[in-house]
Amino acid sequence: MSEAGGGRGSGSPVPQRAPWSLVAATAALCLVSATSVGTAVAAPMSREEKQKLGNQVLEMFDHAYGNYMEHAYPADELMPLTCRGRVRGQEPSRGDVDDALGKFSLTLIDSLDTLVVLNKTKEFEEAVRKVLRDVNLDNDVVVSVFETNIRVLGGLLGGHSLAIMLKEKGEYMQWYNDELLQMAKQLGYKLLPAFNTTSGLPYPRINLKFGIRKPEARTGTETDTCTACAGTLILEFAALSRFTGATIFEEYARKALDFLWEKRQRSSNLVGVTINIHTGDWVRKDSGVGAGIDSYYEYLLKAYVLLGDDSFLERFNTHYDAIMRYISQPPLLLDVHIHKPMLNARTWMDALLAFFPGLQVLKGDIRPAIETHEMLYQVIKKHNFLPEAFTTDFRVHWAQHPLRPEFAESTYFLYKATGDPYYLEVGKTLIENLNKYARVPCGFAAMKDVRTGSHEDRMDSFFLAEMFKYLYLLFADKEDIIFDIEDYIFTTEAHLLPLWLSTTNQSISKKNTTSEYTELDDSNFDWTCPNTQILFPNDPLYAQSIREPLKNVVDKSCPRGISRVEESFRSGAKPPLRARDFMATNPEHLEILKKMGVSLIHLKDGRVQLVQHAIQTRGFVASSKPYNGCSELTNPEAVMGKIALIQRGQCMFAEKARNIQNAGAIGGIVIDDNEGSSSDTAPLFQMAGDGKDTDDIKIPMLFLFSKEGSIILDAIREYEEVEVLLSDKAKDRDLEMENEEQPSSENDSQNQSAEQIISISQAVDLVDQESPEESSLNSHPESLSPADSDNAASLSPSEQTSNPTEDRETTSLDGECTDLDNQLQEQSETEEDSNPNVSWGKKVQPIDSILADWNEDIEAFEMMEKDEL
């Protein structure tokens, strides 16, 4: 028998398939019942300590929820550092992150069923009355279909589920008459226009008041959506249909899932991250279990549990087999290419994959769940929280942590499956870290950087919807909860839907369409509960024996580097220079860096930084026509030999780049069409390729948010000509001022008096997302400042660059396990292999001038993909 369980072990009789409704009801419960099978590997936590920790969770929730209600309500979210509410349009735009906000008191709705789970029934009743009295769903605001579905529709349905449960008990909610359900139905109809596509995949955004495509809707022009965005609807939409009898919701959600299944890559059985909603073509062809795909897999399995439709289980098992074959590299889960699944697509993992061990528990595959969870826990013990992304050798890749609950979710499910008190200790660590590092006077603040402990002024609604729910359930005994939690299934936002919906309003045809697309081996599918005697041998050290080899996995995080060193020693060659061995006073080490175009600078605080010379493009700017750059330019003479300005939207970045390149432009600047967006508040953004070969694109491209882009546009209106400098490094313009003061021709002097010089850092070449060998640079602008001819160099290094410990990754010399030679050589080769037909004006400067010229570490941010991070 495989570790996946399923009752088909060797020597065991093959069970008959249970009636579909019974299977749906038992599938969510069978693993939970395994608690009594596993023997504790350590002294069990006392009832008193569990109660103490449970009460601590209740106090923490009160602190978060109370401050939201006092300082933020009716706003969507609390800003815990400034003790005020976050209202869409009144705060600087954060880009796509704000698409969750719809001016509908998001945090209150998201917290409804949490109140009941935490036995706060009076507060729940009061909260429901507030929702019915105050919340308006008819706002003129563009929201994410995905986020609105899982948070708002799911929150209303979860609230309704527990409201009718309380009403049946006879003490609370006696006045309730399905009002939350009616609101959910109203919201469901508002989301339906998003499905008006030929494929059935929904548009990623919709205007709550005006829908799609109307001029006043300000949306409906998108072409792409993420797989999770289109595939994480079935639970909420099916529940809405089952509750109300309106079958249209479940039909639309099923159609979207059917289309995704049909478009999977047939040879690997994997799906990509981003798909074109009109053609069904994969836009991003990397595949994993983290951001952009995660909840698609989750909802296939849970749709089977809730609805009892065999096809959902068959599809999940087919995908799961591919995941374990290609993506799972225990204890790691690494993205691969759907067409070349043996080739890794990236060398880092994102925090959202922390949900996967919990899903594996529901599947019954306990061993890899324990392994991955333990690896994640070791990362948390090192950084106090799980960084938003970390590398395969467990270094921080993206340092933020927005108080995500996925690890707590997996911890809860692993404890329920194994009964191992070790997971209670893990939960205790999570509580301690939240109180020690994230707690502030007005709530809990997201971590801006897990290394420095700096905070961000945000407390997302999912923190209250999920984190406190899972932590409380982890320590609660059955009698601590006023209803049977095992009668419900958790949505991806931890909202509760009753399992009895599986036998209610069964008007949807459950034709098994899976076999229409592929021949399936029925032996791959498990129809009953796992055989717990096989899953949990009579060995009290079962789970511990799986965890033990991973105890030091984070500390011993350079196995490949170590093997290379050993091999070099055996061959008599010198080992590569590693960060832990680097000495700033060693001439040989400095010479190695110099050969790679890297220099060393000494900072005033005693630290050292490694910096590398960068590529540059300089030229005058001109607006392209059409401004979106999505078709052949009608003004090629205007952009010939210049840097073209184009607006984001309507087509892929690669298409824009090709059109301006064909018109003779030497570079391009894409300005965000999201009015008010700013690099100060928006997350890092990557201009990706279009899924095709982008080697034909030879010009540098830069993305600017609206605020920064307006500086250029305003300068064009004021001056006759505007010249910009595109660079992939933050550039200090004091040195440029010294160069400008050198004698120049008369024409140059005249031009300087009539032009505006703007320094823009970090231009990026478009990269093909299919090619992991290619690198992409951070397109987040670090330096953008106009200066007139009398003050051609005005920015100091401190003005150009934010605190490197807070805003960007740095090359560490503090003993972290880093193959320095390999890292620097790879980046050097990437730049040297750039287009030979373009002159980048690469200059070599002495070490003592580097500090005045460059202000960024050698290890630049790899771009934050535009996904659900």
Side-chain angles (χ1 to χ4, degrees), residues 24-42:
T26 57
L29 311 179
C30 54
L31 283 174
V32 174
S33 65
T35 303
S36 60
V37 178
T39 305
V41 300

Side-chain angles (χ1 to χ4, degrees), residues 144 196 240 317 347 354 474 485 621 720 727 738 837 843 853:
S144 162
N196 188 22
L240 184 57
N317 278 329
T347 59
L474 177 64
I485 197 72
V621 296
E720 293 182 13
S727 172
E738 296 175 7
N837 298 322
K843 298 183 296 183
D853 194 22

Side-chain angles (χ1 to χ4, degrees), residues 105-171:
S105 301
L106 176 62
T107 298
L108 180 63
I109 292 177
D110 224 0
S111 303
L112 287 177
D113 51 6
T114 303
L115 289 165
V116 182
V117 171
L118 272 56
N119 201 12
K120 296 180 178 294
T121 48
K122 291 182 179 178
E123 291 89 339
F124 171 74
E125 190 159 5
E126 181 182 350
V128 172
R129 292 185 185 276
K130 279 184 166 62
V131 169
L132 300 179
R133 182 189 68 211
D134 300 336
V135 172
N136 177 25
L137 298 175
D138 196 40
N139 300 311
D140 179 14
V141 60
V142 176
V143 297
S144 162
V145 173
F146 167 78
E147 296 289 356
T148 303
N149 171 67
I150 65 172
R151 300 201 205 189
V152 185
L153 183 58
L156 292 171
L157 292 172
H160 169 71
S161 300
L162 297 188
I164 58 178
M165 178 274 298
L166 290 173
K167 184 177 181 179
E168 289 176 358
K169 287 181 174 292
E171 183 176 357

Side-chain angles (χ1 to χ4, degrees), residues 314-377:
E314 294 172 359
R315 295 180 192 184
F316 172 80
N317 278 329
T318 301
H319 284 314
Y320 187 78
D321 178 72
I323 290 169
M324 300 309 292
R325 186 186 306 271
Y326 303 120
I327 296 172
S328 177
Q329 301 175 37
L332 309 180
L333 293 164
L334 294 178
D335 286 17
V336 299
H337 294 275
I338 59 175
H339 296 288
K340 302 174 183 177
M342 301 305 293
L343 182 64
N344 288 338
R346 57 175 60 159
T347 59
W348 47 270
M349 296 164 281
D350 65 70
L352 285 171
L353 62 76
F355 91 101
F356 198 66
L359 188 64
Q360 289 179 305
V361 169
L362 186 59
K363 158 71 176 173
D365 203 356
I366 303 298
R367 175 179 290 275
I370 293 174
E371 290 174 337
T372 299
H373 180 275
E374 181 61 25
M375 176 270 293
L376 295 171
Y377 185 44

